Structure formats: C-alpha cells, structure tokens
Amino acid sequence: INAEYGGSSLLDYLVIDTGPLIRNIKLERLAEKVVTTSGVVAEVRDAFTRQKLEMLPMEIEERCPSDESVQFVLNFAKKTGDIRSLSKTDMAVVALTYDLESKLNGIEHLRREPVGTIKVNEGFGDDRITNLAGFYVPKKSDVVSSRSTSLCSSAPQNTENDNSEIENKEEDVEDDVVEEA
C-alpha cells in the first residue's frame, strides 16, 4: 500500500500473511513498514522460522483491523461464496489490508460489491459431513447470539480467543446466508 501512490520504489506498508515469513522473503526490500495480525505471528510455530522472525532487520508491526473493515470483508466474502474457504487468519489479514487502504487512499477506487455473486448452499448435500479440511461446515444445532465484530481486544493478544471470535463471526455470516436464501 502506497499512500497516495507515492513515487518511492518501496511500498509504504506491506500487509503479510505467513507465507513470506516461512519462505524467508527479504521484506526490507519491499516496504518501509511491514504489518500483520497476531494470528499470522501465531501461525509461525517451528523453531527455525520463529528464530528467523526474531532476527529480521526490521520490525513487523502487529495490528488489529477495525470492526468496520472486518464486517465489510465478511459481507463481501459471503456474497462471493469465499466465506467457507477463507481461514480466520486470512479474513483478518484482508480486513487489515482494507483498513489500511481505506485510511491511506480512501475507498473510492475499491469495489463495494463483487462483480459476480454465487448462492451459497447450506451444507454439501450430506449432513454427515462435519469435518472437511479447508472448509467451514456449520452445525445445524449451532445457536448464534449477537456478537461484536472485533478481532482484537484491548487485553493481551491470545490467538485462541482471536480464533473463537472469528469463528463466531463466520457463524453469524452463515446464518445471514441461510436467512437470505
């Protein structure tokens, strides 16, 4: 993300997922500031990669996306049908990217609605499927109450809590999909 599309060869901000950390990408050659979410940092589990992360020549700033950005991303993913294939960390990273882009460059140049939408069906035709790798399969017995859309709290970051909050948001969005169908 370059603020006002500046002329620098480096990006002002680079929002990253786990991939560049695992692949040892030279982030300092790409951007002035590198930002990510606490969920991305928590995904780095092996000792070697964690050590590389601690020895980077630049600091990676952990940020939380705004509630508005999270809600926008969740609604957009619901409309495109991507809600089932995006991980909780993926949604947080996209929301953080949207948040930074909107603050630095505005949103006039961004789509507010997807070009094509698909209808998300409830389930996969077999109610016995409950654990399908890479997909969110809601349980029909889940009861969802109203929840905040915040991915972060003012308390110290806890990845387990972050994940459960995003799961709750996915359930809220899934209920919306079923209600709209």
Side-chain angles (χ1 to χ4, degrees), residues 38-58:
S38 59
V40 168
V41 175
E43 284 183 348
V44 178
R45 294 188 182 124
D46 68 282
F48 180 72
T49 305
R50 190 150 293 276
Q51 183 180 20
K52 286 191 306 188
L53 180 61
E54 292 173 5
M55 297 177 63
L56 286 174
M58 66 187 314

Side-chain angles (χ1 to χ4, degrees), residues 25-98:
I25 302 295
K26 306 278 186 225
L27 300 171
E28 67 276 8
R29 294 181 182 171
L30 301 174
E32 297 288 334
K33 297 177 187 172
V34 177
V35 295
T36 194
T37 65
S38 59
V40 168
V41 175
E43 284 183 348
V44 178
R45 294 188 182 124
D46 68 282
F48 180 72
T49 305
R50 190 150 293 276
Q51 183 180 20
K52 286 191 306 188
L53 180 61
E54 292 173 5
M55 297 177 63
L56 286 174
M58 66 187 314
E59 184 178 333
I60 296 178
E61 183 181 343
E62 288 182 41
R63 288 192 181 186
C64 297
S66 69
D67 290 348
E68 295 80 21
S69 294
V70 171
Q71 193 60 51
F72 177 82
V73 168
L74 289 172
N75 289 335
F76 204 92
K78 176 181 72 171
K79 292 173 185 174
T80 62
D82 291 322
I83 190 76
R84 292 179 181 228
S85 60
L86 289 172
S87 72
K88 298 161 196 65
T89 302
D90 291 339
M91 283 193 248
V93 168
V94 173
L96 179 59
T97 304
Y98 180 82

Side-chain angles (χ1 to χ4, degrees), residues 58-168:
M58 66 187 314
E59 184 178 333
I60 296 178
E61 183 181 343
E62 288 182 41
R63 288 192 181 186
C64 297
S66 69
D67 290 348
E68 295 80 21
S69 294
V70 171
Q71 193 60 51
F72 177 82
V73 168
L74 289 172
N75 289 335
F76 204 92
K78 176 181 72 171
K79 292 173 185 174
T80 62
D82 291 322
I83 190 76
R84 292 179 181 228
S85 60
L86 289 172
S87 72
K88 298 161 196 65
T89 302
D90 291 339
M91 283 193 248
V93 168
V94 173
L96 179 59
T97 304
Y98 180 82
D99 199 30
L100 284 171
E101 182 66 21
S102 64
K103 287 177 183 172
L104 295 172
N105 298 313
I107 59 171
E108 295 76 29
H109 62 287
L110 300 175
R111 286 193 175 119
R112 288 167 192 78
E113 295 291 326
V115 173
T117 60
I118 64 167
K119 181 179 177 186
V120 178
N121 294 324
E122 182 180 357
F124 292 94
D126 186 346
D127 291 337
R128 295 173 292 167
I129 298 174
T130 58
N131 188 12
L132 188 59
F135 290 91
Y136 169 71
V137 182
K139 297 175 187 167
K140 288 186 178 185
S141 62
D142 286 345
V143 177
V144 179
S145 61
S146 62
R147 296 177 180 90
S148 166
T149 56
S150 176
L151 292 178
C152 303
S153 65
S154 57
Q157 295 296 318
N158 180 334
T159 315
E160 188 174 314
N161 288 344
D162 284 354
N163 289 343
S164 65
E165 288 178 15
I166 297 173
E167 282 176 4
N168 293 340

